[in-house]
Amino acid sequence: MNREYKMVSRGFARSRITRATYAVMTCFCLLTTYLSAQGPTAIPLPENLEQGYPRLYITQSEKKELQKTIKKEQWAKEVLQGIHERIDAHVERHVTDPEWMVSRLQMYWKTKATNVYVNGVDYSHADGEAPVPTVRFTGSRNSATQYAKPKLEEIMPYMDDPRGLYLPNKTKEDRPFEWVEQSKTGNIIVSINEEIIGLARDAAFISWLENDERYSKFAYDIFHTYMEGMSYRSEPIDLLNGHIQTLVGFTHFQVIHERALREIAILYDFLHPFIEANHPENIAMYDKTIKRWTDQVIKNGVPQNNWNLHQANIILKAAMVLQDNDHYEDKKGREYYVNYILNVTSARQWSLTKFIDYGYDESNGVWNECPSYSLGVTSSLTHFIRDFDNTFDHNLLPYTPVITKAVKMMPQYLFPNNQIVAFGDSYYGPISTEAIADMIRIAQKNGNHGLEEEFTGLYRLFVDDNQPGNNRGRNSKSIASLFASKPLELNPKYKKHDIKDYMTQTFNAPNVSWHVQRMGTGKDGMMVSLNGSLGNHMHANGINMELYGKGFVQGADPGKGANYLEPIYLEYYSQFPAHNTVMVDGASSYTEMLSYHAFDLMGEYPKSEQKSGYYVDITYSDVYFLEPETRSDQSRLVSIVRTGKETGYYVDVFRSKKQRKGDKFHDYYYHNLGQSMKVMDADGHPLELSPSEEMAFAGGHLYALDYMWDKKSVRLEGDYQTEWKIDFPEGQEDVFMNLWMKGTEGREVFAIKSPPNKAFRGDHGLPYEVDKAPYLTLAARQHGPAWEKPFVAVYEPFTSAEGKSIEKISGFADENGNPEFTGIHIRHKSGREDFVFSSANHKKVNYKGMATDATYTLVGHEKNGDWVVFVGNGKEVAAKGYTISASDIGNVVLELRGGELFLHNEVPVTIAHTHSEVRFNAGALRKITLE
């Protein structure tokens, strides 16, 4: 094996770690624990553990090989030069002024406090006294602060003052330094300490590599001061005796942010030979401190999400610099902590077998968090499998089939413009190709040509052939970069695959309550994403919708807006009014973040992950949601109808009612990108809207409503429409979204400005600063219940160059008076006409010779005589002179194209026409004849 890649031939401690895996040891836990699920026995621990130091990145026996690589390879020279540039001046100064850097550590220099007290999420005070200065706890769980982290030269030496910290105020002109109470300083304290520890870590590496004791002394003085101070620190105490008590570490409010322990471990690993030679009397104290610190990370935390993975990463790094169990009286050494993560489940640190089993849906490969987090977890796991295989020559992939599935499903997250869906705490952006590249490397190493071809074909869909990727450059000045893998080399025999191999017209992930419908790719593709609130990093959003049109996710989710402890996140961005959903009585809400409120998928077409044998120009989904706060039934039916290569529209029928009646109002929210929004009547004339204070917190409603402004409304019973415009510079076509909505008695329409959409990083090709501009919002309020008077909408995206394809839309009712029915008649400029039927009760309805008992029916007539009858969850439909009957409720498509009949029926049906009647068993789309 390539020596640049492989660390050492034997030993767990010799694991080779790439830039992507400070988490490699974490993933060792994750994946090997998964293996334990395959059998009744615990995961065996590695044997022949490396006894010498260093051992994390490299061993003493590999030092000469590394020196040769640095001498031979330009990239390695540049890495080493970057490290020197970062630390040399500090090391030189330390020779003559050994207190300068040490004094910048954030410690209890004067008070020497041992006990720390917090008041919930904020620092309170400290007491007790140690014989030496101790490590200072951070200011707040909330990282937001109006104060800036000072440069090292700006930090007051030995800063420990009753007034707090002396910091620059970034909100004031010239950023003057001020004394500020510690609880108002966010995470500045831990950030300063991590920066200094990072310098010491790099110096420890240089001291080992170049045998220069100046670097050793610099690293040791920082390390010893910090570790001796930490040895006297106790677990922080929450004065509120609340949830924070189960999260705190020794330096931070959350054990997942004990990054200092991880970096201390790397520092200790490289510095250990120097300590053994010069300060052996302190090793027992250092080890004891690392063990206590590690025990704290195990004791606290959150096991059911990615915290478990982050904690495992920290624990493993710390464990690997300890000695074997037999060295310690309590028998808690290296093997103990490795085994703990692999095979032991405690309240807040699960075995990693349990973690993976809990998080992944084995049927579809989806991790149970919002998209950004889900993709991150999958990438972390593939990084480990790759590195584990290269280190131990053991491929874990056959034992973890869910990982292969998880990587292959990643394109299902993509809109037609290759941006991922972004519900919950997510951001719009491309998928990372690192996990796909990992799969290629694993396949290449193990000679699995089929796997290599599979993932090479997928990889080429997202990466230019001329830029196969090289992870090294992005981390060019870190120690880890010296141990990074060689650039990925793609086999030219394996060509780009078809995106349809990985993306399906519908995709359902019940473990995160997410459903997708899509057609096509690129500018003229169409896609709608619905999500409930199941899993981690989710919002209180009911049945939320993201909508794509003409190259952009126009009906976009707003993102998290701020960190999780900021009022605007808790009160607005994570709540119903920030989303494209329906809120009841101004009160709909429930727990955000880890949420348990899923919708039920009542119907869809085609079936999730079906790749062929269906009618491609219509999709639909029908979902039900119980809104828990007001105990309301909510139903949303969404359909995509393609009418041409560049044209199509969305149908959205949202019903909502309280189970206990007494409905005050139901509010339908829709937010769309654009610099302008027009609210008009059905004929395109502007509506006269007046300022309104009705949509507000006042009256016992959500705080979220007071984050919105410039609210105007009008009451009306007629149909109305709204048009958003993304206004591009002259010479470029503008992009629009037109929303037509059926009017009804008791309807009030609001035009609103909402807080900016924060889910877009960068401009994403948009001509304005989305993250700073108001998010233009339509709200339709139905006074009373909105079940028999639902929100019925048709969305059409279009451009200024193409114009609208829809000429006119109007509503119609059941001729028999079914109150739970709504109909839409859509006329197109092409001459096509569509009749949309939506029913909530499966009672037969009639209109102009057409009859149906289905949840959703579309009858479409083309000008050339072609037609289609689409039946979603129905048993009996009559249209175009044909009667379709079934014994079971199901989906059926009957199409006349070019004078020939085509049928797709998911249930057996009988079709009657004139004097013929033929029964058809369930079957894929095919040509039929009636004789």
Side-chain angles (χ1 to χ4, degrees):
M1 183 178 297
N2 189 322
R3 290 284 288 184
E4 282 184 30
Y5 196 101
K6 186 166 174 69
M7 274 280 300
V8 185
S9 59
R10 296 181 307 157
F12 177 84
R14 302 175 181 181
S15 176
R16 184 76 172 186
I17 302 177
T18 70
R19 74 161 282 282
T21 49
Y22 268 120
V24 63
M25 293 306 180
T26 296
C27 299
F28 168 72
C29 310
L30 278 164
L31 292 170
T32 50
T33 299
Y34 188 83
L35 296 179
S36 70
Q38 315 304 315
T41 58
I43 303 170
L45 298 181
E47 299 178 354
N48 302 318
L49 299 179
E50 172 67 32
Q51 297 301 311
Y53 292 89
R55 56 172 68 159
L56 287 177
Y57 285 121
I58 195 168
T59 65
Q60 185 66 29
S61 63
E62 286 205 323
K63 181 175 179 179
K64 290 183 179 179
E65 190 68 30
L66 176 60
Q67 290 171 330
K68 289 179 182 179
T69 298
I70 293 171
K71 186 176 181 180
K72 178 181 176 182
E73 300 287 346
Q74 182 61 34
W75 65 266
K77 292 178 183 177
E78 292 174 358
V79 170
L80 186 62
Q81 180 182 347
I83 295 171
H84 273 291
E85 289 173 353
R86 187 162 58 248
I87 66 172
D88 281 1
H90 298 304
V91 172
E92 289 293 338
R93 181 180 52 235
H94 194 77
V95 173
T96 57
D97 187 359
E99 293 189 24
W100 194 97
M101 185 63 75
V102 172
S103 68
R104 265 68 181 176
L105 283 168
Q106 297 305 290
M107 311 278 286
Y108 295 108
W109 288 108
K110 302 171 184 175
T111 57
K112 303 176 182 177
T114 57
N115 306 314
V116 168
Y117 302 87
V118 299
N119 191 4
V121 298
D122 295 318
Y123 177 83
S124 175
H125 66 284
D127 63 20
E129 185 174 355
V132 297
T134 56
V135 177
R136 196 167 190 165
F137 194 74
T138 201
S140 176
R141 184 183 182 190
N142 189 346
S143 60
T145 174
Q146 68 187 71
Y147 296 91
K149 174 187 171 185
K151 299 176 183 178
L152 290 175
E153 58 269 22
E154 296 174 329
I155 298 173
M156 184 177 291
Y158 301 111
M159 183 164 52
D160 184 13
D161 192 285
R163 291 172 290 181
L165 276 71
Y166 196 57
L167 302 172
N169 190 328
K170 61 187 179 184
T171 67
K172 295 182 179 180
E173 188 176 359
D174 298 328
R175 295 160 63 100
F177 274 74
E178 301 172 352
W179 285 104
V180 54
E181 181 187 343
Q182 185 166 329
S183 64
K184 306 297 183 184
T185 63
N187 296 157
I188 291 174
I189 289 171
V190 292
S191 181
I192 292 172
N193 283 344
E194 286 167 7
E195 180 181 359
I196 296 172
I197 290 169
L199 294 171
R201 173 204 63 210
D202 290 353
F205 168 71
I206 295 296
S207 73
W208 169 80
L209 180 69
E210 300 180 356
N211 299 316
D212 191 330
E213 286 207 3
R214 295 177 302 163
Y215 292 87
S216 304
K217 187 67 167 61
F218 175 82
Y220 179 78
D221 288 351
I222 294 169
F223 175 78
H224 179 75
T225 302
Y226 190 90
M227 290 297 287
E228 187 178 36
M230 183 60 78
S231 72
Y232 288 96
R233 273 286 318 282
S234 60
E235 176 182 358
I237 296 172
D238 180 12
L239 297 174
L240 300 181
N241 194 31
H243 176 53
I244 291 297
Q245 192 64 67
T246 70
L247 303 181
V248 290
F250 282 166
T251 70
H252 197 284
F253 284 83
Q254 301 178 150
V255 290
I256 58 169
H257 295 314
E258 292 288 348
R259 290 179 293 265
L261 174 55
R262 184 185 65 196
E263 301 309 309
I264 280 288
I266 300 170
L267 194 169
Y268 190 35
D269 188 46
F270 282 115
L271 196 61
H272 212 282
F274 173 82
I275 296 172
E276 291 176 41
N278 298 276
H279 305 283
E281 70 281 2
N282 292 328
I283 290 177
M285 179 266 288
Y286 299 147
D287 285 6
K288 182 178 180 180
T289 302
I290 287 174
K291 288 168 60 176
R292 287 182 59 249
W293 202 349
T294 304
D295 287 340
Q296 182 69 17
V297 175
I298 290 174
K299 176 177 179 286
N300 281 351
V302 181
Q304 70 273 7
N305 59 30
N306 61 11
W307 276 50
N308 207 80
L309 186 152
H310 294 314
Q311 289 168 246
N313 176 39
I314 296 168
I315 295 164
L316 258 295
K317 200 61 118 246
M320 291 313 301
V321 296
L322 294 174
Q323 299 184 61
D324 294 344
N325 288 349
D326 291 342
H327 183 83
Y328 304 105
E329 186 176 345
D330 62 3
K331 303 302 180 185
K332 292 172 60 175
R334 193 165 30 169
E335 305 99 313
Y336 169 84
Y337 289 105
V338 172
N339 183 65
Y340 198 101
I341 294 175
L342 296 180
N343 297 310
V344 179
T345 288
S346 54
R348 298 181 182 89
Q349 183 67 46
W350 288 351
S351 72
L352 295 171
T353 301
K354 180 174 180 178
F355 173 60
I356 288 182
D357 286 346
Y358 171 87
Y360 274 109
D361 184 334
E362 291 188 2
S363 69
N364 59 30
V366 175
W367 176 262
N368 69 346
E369 298 192 72
C370 69
S372 290
Y373 281 78
S374 174
L375 291 167
V377 168
T378 295
S379 292
S380 294
L381 292 171
T382 60
H383 290 336
F384 165 72
I385 297 174
R386 179 197 68 189
D387 292 329
F388 186 89
D389 194 12
N390 279 288
T391 300
F392 301 108
D393 197 25
H394 180 45
N395 181 16
L396 296 177
L397 203 58
Y399 304 96
T400 56
V402 72
I403 302 303
T404 300
K405 190 171 291 185
V407 178
K408 289 175 67 174
M409 73 73 50
M410 288 165 58
Q412 296 281 20
Y413 282 113
L414 294 175
F415 279 100
N417 63 354
N418 283 341
Q419 302 283 303
I420 68 167
V421 294
F423 58 84
D425 294 335
S426 295
Y427 294 90
Y428 293 105
I431 59 172
S432 169
T433 58
E434 290 183 353
I436 307 172
D438 288 339
M439 298 298 286
I440 297 171
R441 293 181 191 276
I442 295 165
Q444 289 173 340
K445 179 185 175 297
N446 291 280
N448 189 333
H449 302 301
L451 192 72
E452 181 183 1
E453 181 178 9
E454 172 76 57
F455 285 99
T456 300
L458 175 58
Y459 188 78
R460 291 187 189 277
L461 288 169
F462 303 104
V463 177
D464 191 315
D465 286 349
N466 297 320
Q467 297 175 354
N470 180 358
N471 293 335
R472 180 180 294 135
R474 283 176 288 173
N475 208 16
S476 61
K477 294 185 179 181
S478 72
I479 296 172
S481 292
L482 287 170
F483 312 105
S485 62
K486 64 180 182 179
L488 177 64
E489 296 179 3
L490 302 180
N491 190 324
K493 293 191 304 182
Y494 302 140
K495 305 303 180 183
K496 182 189 296 186
H497 284 186
D498 189 334
I499 192 66
K500 293 178 183 177
D501 296 334
Y502 307 95
M503 247 185 225
T504 52
Q505 193 141 8
T506 59
F507 182 77
N508 185 42
N511 66 322
V512 287
S513 191
W514 170 51
H515 188 274
V516 169
Q517 305 168 59
R518 58 165 63 86
M519 291 182 189
T521 59
K523 171 190 164 187
D524 296 318
M526 301 183 73
M527 178 167 151
V528 59
S529 171
L530 297 181
N531 71 280
S533 305
L534 180 63
N536 198 40
H537 285 277
M538 302 298 185
H539 294 174
N541 52 225
I543 308 173
N544 178 45
M545 177 176 73
E546 295 170 272
L547 203 60
Y548 180 83
K550 297 301 177 183
F552 300 96
V553 187
Q554 293 199 51
D557 224 47
K560 64 180 184 178
N563 72 47
Y564 309 124
L565 299 177
E566 289 292 289
I568 197 169
Y569 170 82
L570 298 170
E571 297 173 357
Y572 177 75
Y573 280 99
S574 64
Q575 299 300 313
F576 271 65
H579 299 84
N580 297 332
T581 191
V582 169
M583 181 171 70
V584 183
D585 287 354
S588 296
S589 185
Y590 44 81
T591 303
E592 74 287 330
M593 193 57 71
L594 181 56
S595 189
Y596 296 91
H597 300 284
F599 55 57
D600 296 324
L601 181 62
M602 310 303 291
E604 66 173 340
Y605 182 87
K607 292 180 180 178
S608 176
E609 300 187 71
Q610 184 174 347
K611 292 187 176 181
S612 62
Y614 57 87
Y615 180 76
V616 298
D617 288 334
I618 299 177
T619 71
Y620 90 98
S621 62
D622 178 27
V623 302
Y624 166 81
F625 181 76
L626 174 63
E627 195 284 282
E629 186 76 4
T630 61
R631 212 167 104 176
S632 295
D633 294 320
Q634 296 194 321
S635 171
R636 190 166 205 167
L637 187 150
V638 179
S639 175
I640 303 175
V641 183
R642 171 77 76 179
T643 58
K645 290 183 178 180
E646 299 177 348
T647 59
Y649 61 91
Y650 302 92
V651 175
D652 182 25
V653 180
F654 203 129
R655 292 180 168 89
S656 183
K657 65 177 179 179
K658 294 173 70 173
Q659 293 182 352
R660 293 175 172 173
K661 303 189 184 299
D663 306 60
K664 298 176 184 177
F665 51 81
H666 296 251
D667 290 333
Y668 176 104
Y669 291 99
Y670 180 72
H671 313 69
N672 201 89
L673 299 179
Q675 301 100 310
S676 64
M677 178 181 83
K678 298 189 297 184
V679 183
M680 303 166 285
D681 63 19
D683 296 322
H685 302 121
L687 289 175
E688 295 291 334
L689 280 71
S690 302
S692 172
E693 293 298 327
E694 290 302 310
M695 192 167 286
F697 166 72
H701 309 139
L702 291 187
Y703 282 117
L705 299 175
D706 278 355
Y707 285 91
M708 299 167 152
W709 73 98
D710 197 14
K711 304 164 191 170
K712 300 175 182 179
S713 73
V714 62
R715 287 200 179 217
L716 77 169
E717 295 186 8
D719 301 342
Y720 51 96
Q721 56 185 320
T722 306
E723 184 179 278
W724 288 263
K725 179 182 181 181
I726 304 175
D727 193 355
F728 281 86
E730 188 173 351
Q732 300 180 49
E733 62 179 7
D734 300 321
V735 174
F736 297 83
M737 179 68 78
N738 192 81
L739 162 61
W740 173 93
M741 188 167 274
K742 185 179 179 181
T744 185
E745 181 184 359
R747 185 61 54 86
E748 185 174 5
V749 178
F750 291 78
I752 299 171
K753 290 178 180 174
S754 297
N757 186 307
K758 297 291 188 177
F760 290 93
R761 288 175 167 172
D763 62 16
H764 287 255
L766 293 162
Y768 70 108
E769 294 182 295
V770 175
D771 63 338
K772 296 182 175 63
Y775 202 12
L776 304 180
T777 306
L778 173 81
R781 171 168 289 181
Q782 183 60 38
H783 293 272
W787 194 266
E788 295 182 356
K789 297 174 182 177
F791 302 101
V792 182
V794 174
Y795 291 87
E796 183 188 12
F798 64 97
T799 68
S800 55
E802 299 162 354
K804 298 179 185 178
S805 66
I806 295 176
E807 184 175 68
K808 184 175 178 59
I809 306 175
S810 57
F812 62 86
D814 171 33
E815 293 171 354
N816 299 326
N818 184 350
E820 295 188 29
F821 168 79
T822 189
I824 314 169
H825 180 198
I826 304 171
R827 294 190 179 115
H828 303 264
K829 292 179 180 177
S830 66
R832 173 177 171 140
E833 286 189 80
D834 292 336
F835 294 87
V836 175
F837 299 72
S838 173
S839 176
N841 57 15
H842 283 289
K843 290 183 178 179
K844 185 177 287 188
V845 298
N846 291 271
Y847 182 71
K848 289 189 175 181
M850 296 173 282
T852 178
D853 67 353
T855 299
Y856 173 53
T857 305
L858 185 143
V859 180
H861 315 253
E862 295 287 358
K863 189 176 182 180
N864 64 2
D866 291 350
W867 52 259
V868 62
V869 177
F870 179 90
V871 184
N873 272 5
K875 292 176 67 176
E876 189 171 349
V877 175
K880 307 302 295 180
Y882 292 80
T883 299
I884 304 170
S885 303
S887 57
D888 297 313
I889 291 175
N891 298 326
V892 181
V893 181
L894 183 63
E895 179 193 20
L896 180 69
R897 179 175 9 113
E900 296 179 317
L901 279 177
F902 295 85
L903 173 68
H904 177 208
N905 54 317
E906 295 179 355
V907 294
V909 298
T910 298
I911 300 178
H913 178 62
T914 59
H915 301 295
S916 64
E917 183 175 288
V918 181
R919 177 177 170 81
F920 296 91
N921 291 326
L925 186 67
R926 73 274 191 196
K927 186 168 67 172
I928 64 167
T929 58
L930 298 178
E931 298 178 354

